[in-house]
Amino acid sequence: MLDATDFLLVNPWQRGFPLTPRPFEELARSASVSEEEALSRLARLREQGVIDRIGPVFRPNSVGASLLAAMAVAPERLAAVAAFASEQPGINHNYEREHRYNLWFVVTGGNQAEVERTLSCIEQASDLEALRLPLVEEFHVDLGFDLGTRVAPRAGRPPEFPELSAEERRLVAAVGAGLPLVPAPYQRVALDLGLSQAEVIAHLAKMLGDGRIRRIGAVVRHRRLGYEANAMVVWDVPDERVAALGPELARDPAVTLCYRRARSAPEWPYNLYCMVHGRRRSRALYDVKRITGLYAPGFPRAVLFSNRCFAQRAARYG
């Protein structure tokens, strides 16, 4: 779904989006098109669902709160329960996966109480209990991988994050769903918030520098580009081994996400997670078998392939 020009406008700009008054001019020059054509193409790709947005990607729990939840839903109820969950404003991602726990979604909010209210609402409406699987430690969480090579930078997580100022909170809420596709997007945001363009750019640069923003750029919906054989792999690893094993696993080029989450015993004993994104199931299974043999041989494991995507959108923090 990407022609050669689309590819030049999207792939290299998954990160490093310019913090300048006319950022789309730079994208246009890199693809040898006019600014008007660049904006038109990006708008079309967004309408087609190939990209979700162009804007900042915030680190989990650095500007708000988030939680991964899972439910075991009877197959005949799955579509209805998933639809209700997706309607809630705090739902970020919502997928069917191949497991008894077949509905997996991320709940986001301005704080943990807001997240819990959303999750409780879903539980009450569905009459089902959700596993709560909070993030404990991230090793590599960046889906901005190169669409040709699958390579993505492996960056460490800062030990702590500054508190958001009042202006930053307003800005996070304003740009969480993406920047407007106009020639001067920061100026448009600034006008809406009663700030100057320079202040908006400075706030974004500060959050990018201290790690609250992971990257600024195009957020790709990989399933629309053929990455449909996507497996979440989970292991039950002794707690004293996770901190050493996680970074090793995260450095493998086949691993697109890697993190530690709290267990939910006895139903869910797993604490080490990774994602493998692939175009073919056979290739994904090969990578899963290879990384298991290299990094986690002998540990109990489950492989959950994604089936339907019910929701994929920007996290909501305000």
Side-chain angles (χ1 to χ4, degrees):
M1 297 182 71
L2 294 177
D3 65 22
T5 301
D6 292 338
F7 189 86
L8 291 174
L9 288 170
V10 171
N11 188 52
W13 295 106
Q14 294 183 73
R15 63 189 72 249
F17 186 76
L19 288 170
T20 57
R22 299 289 290 255
F24 293 107
E25 279 188 339
E26 189 169 338
L27 274 68
R29 282 196 298 271
S30 72
S32 300
V33 296
S34 68
E35 181 186 50
E36 182 181 9
E37 182 177 349
L39 286 165
S40 175
R41 283 175 172 270
L42 292 170
R44 171 178 53 79
L45 293 173
R46 188 176 63 182
E47 290 167 5
Q48 292 174 342
V50 176
I51 61 173
D52 178 72
R53 64 194 185 279
I54 292 181
V57 176
F58 296 99
R59 284 181 183 268
N61 304 317
S62 68
V63 298
S66 65
L67 178 69
L68 177 66
M71 283 181 161
V73 185
E76 64 273 15
R77 297 188 62 206
L78 182 60
V81 173
F84 179 83
S86 296
E87 289 171 358
Q88 309 313 305
I91 298 302
N92 178 202
H93 292 167
N94 189 7
Y95 281 89
E96 176 189 8
R97 298 194 189 279
E98 295 176 0
H99 193 271
R100 183 173 76 86
Y101 283 98
N102 53 354
L103 186 63
W104 291 76
F105 51 93
V106 176
V107 190
T108 63
N111 52 55
Q112 198 59 50
E114 187 178 329
V115 167
E116 184 59 34
R117 283 195 297 271
T118 300
L119 185 51
S120 296
C121 172
I122 296 170
E123 289 179 314
Q124 291 170 12
S126 64
D127 196 26
L128 295 168
E129 186 175 351
L131 298 180
R132 287 158 169 77
L133 304 166
L135 180 71
V136 175
E137 185 176 7
E138 71 172 57
F139 304 113
H140 172 61
V141 185
D142 191 345
L143 278 175
F145 59 83
D146 188 284
L147 298 174
T149 65
R150 291 203 305 177
V151 170
R154 264 62 174 169
R157 177 184 172 89
E160 58 184 26
F161 301 100
E163 286 291 323
L164 289 173
S165 68
E167 280 190 356
E168 286 172 337
R169 288 191 181 281
R170 292 169 57 217
L171 178 58
V172 167
V175 302
L179 294 167
L181 295 181
V182 297
Y186 305 118
Q187 181 65 37
R188 173 73 63 81
V189 172
L191 289 172
D192 291 342
L193 295 178
L195 300 173
S196 70
Q197 177 177 250
E199 286 174 319
V200 168
I201 291 174
H203 282 311
L204 291 173
K206 179 185 176 185
M207 287 189 280
L208 184 64
D210 63 33
R212 288 174 291 177
I213 292 177
R214 190 187 311 283
R215 60 185 173 95
I216 302 177
V219 178
V220 176
R221 288 177 169 166
H222 296 94
R223 292 175 70 89
R224 292 295 182 94
L225 296 177
Y227 290 89
E228 296 184 347
N230 303 324
M232 183 177 77
V233 191
V234 294
W235 290 272
D236 177 6
V237 176
D239 290 335
E240 65 273 13
R241 297 282 304 277
V242 178
L245 179 57
E248 294 181 15
L249 177 62
R251 285 191 288 269
D252 193 282
V255 172
T256 50
L257 301 172
C258 186
Y259 39 77
R260 177 184 182 183
R261 291 190 178 276
R263 310 172 194 271
S264 185
E267 296 87 356
W268 191 257
Y270 306 106
N271 59 345
L272 180 61
Y273 293 60
C274 85
M275 284 294 302
V276 174
H277 283 72
R279 296 181 183 276
R280 300 187 307 278
R281 190 182 182 101
S282 60
R283 176 66 196 196
L285 286 170
Y286 168 82
D287 282 328
V288 169
K289 182 178 180 179
R290 179 181 59 79
I291 62 178
T292 298
L294 284 174
Y295 308 109
F299 296 128
R301 183 196 75 180
V303 181
L304 290 75
F305 275 91
S306 304
N307 285 339
R308 283 176 286 182
C309 174
F310 298 111
Q312 182 184 350
R313 55 180 178 256
R316 179 179 177 271
Y317 295 114

